[in-house]
Amino acid sequence: MKLLENKVALITGGSRGIGEGIALKFAEHGANIAFTYLSSEEKARALEVRLSEMGVKAKGYKSDAADFKAAETLAADVMKDFGTIDICVNNAGISRDNLLLRLTPEQWDEVMQANLKSVYNLTRQVMRPMMKAKSGSIINLSSVVGVKGNAGQSAYAASKAGIIGFTKSVAAEIGSRNIRCNAIAPGFIETDMTHYLKDGGAEKWFEKIPLGRFGKTEDVANAALFLASDMSLYVSGQVLSVCGGMSM
Ligand code: NAP
């Protein structure tokens, strides 16, 4: 059974990792896909082709998630190209890990702009068409680190904890318009962002994960599919942990 037939999903940071995994999963379930990237031009074009071959409409947009004006332009372009936005996945994000004593103001600002302001930027834009349509699902990528904190990741953790407060507030604000807003808090998922974890042995990390393995992008994509689809029509303002039990 296809769960997102003829829906339009806008996914930020779709060129690699979790965003790409979500784009492929949503397309498998019949959604048309608009996705963004910042610099991975070749990967974006390749994903467009792959998604189109799955029989859905697909387009990649070069758009800096940290830039409010760019989000405004992006939403307008997607509305023009696709006619609606049913699902918005705020996935684009970066990590700039450093102990607090060494964390520069520039690194702090960079992380906040790319991870937290980006979620405000695009949510502000997609709210209007969703309110008009009287339906919508917004999914924000937080992190287990936003729930628990982690040494060396104070900026990243603060940005991801901020996403949780934002998600719950938006859910309260626009729930009456039949728009749902939820967050996913992944644990360690195998992507470019976490490749360094394998240096020095993955086994020491597995001890902290009850399910004893790193997550795959598909594990997160399955959770996103649930939150995007009618399977979760009565779920809003929640944080769904996809972390192999790490956040217990
Ligand atoms: P990734 O492999 O590093 O991919 C990041 C994606 O975001 C890329 O498509 C990148 O585009 C895009 N991006 C980054 N900054 C952007 C910007 N300013 N504007 C537009 N696009 C931008 O990361 P990931 O591991 O898939 O993570 C995806 C999300 O899940 C992030 O929010 C991350 O914090 C969160 N998360 C990840 C993990 C994990 O273990 N991997 C755990 C918890 C939460 P380009 O390809 O053009 O650079």
Side-chain angles (χ1 to χ4, degrees), residues 63-108:
S63 180
D64 184 355
D67 181 338
F68 183 77
K69 272 273 165 220
E72 200 172 18
T73 306
L74 170 69
D77 287 348
V78 174
M79 285 301 288
K80 187 153 61 71
D81 296 340
F82 287 79
T84 187
I85 299 169
D86 301 298
I87 302 153
C88 173
V89 184
N90 287 304
N91 164 79
I94 57 169
S95 59
R96 296 283 180 270
D97 299 347
N98 214 344
L99 291 173
L100 183 55
L101 272 175
R102 295 194 204 119
L103 189 73
T104 66
E106 291 75 23
Q107 286 174 322
W108 174 272

Side-chain angles (χ1 to χ4, degrees), residues 216-227:
K216 298 185 185 315
T217 57
E218 191 172 13
D219 294 319
V220 181
N222 282 329
L225 174 64
F226 167 69
L227 292 174

Side-chain angles (χ1 to χ4, degrees), residues 88 90 123 126 130 136-140 170 174 179-182:
C88 173
N90 287 304
T123 305
V126 301
M130 286 182 175
S137 175
I138 299 165
I139 301 164
N140 300 324
V170 170
I174 55 178
I179 301 168
R180 300 179 295 110
C181 186
N182 291 288

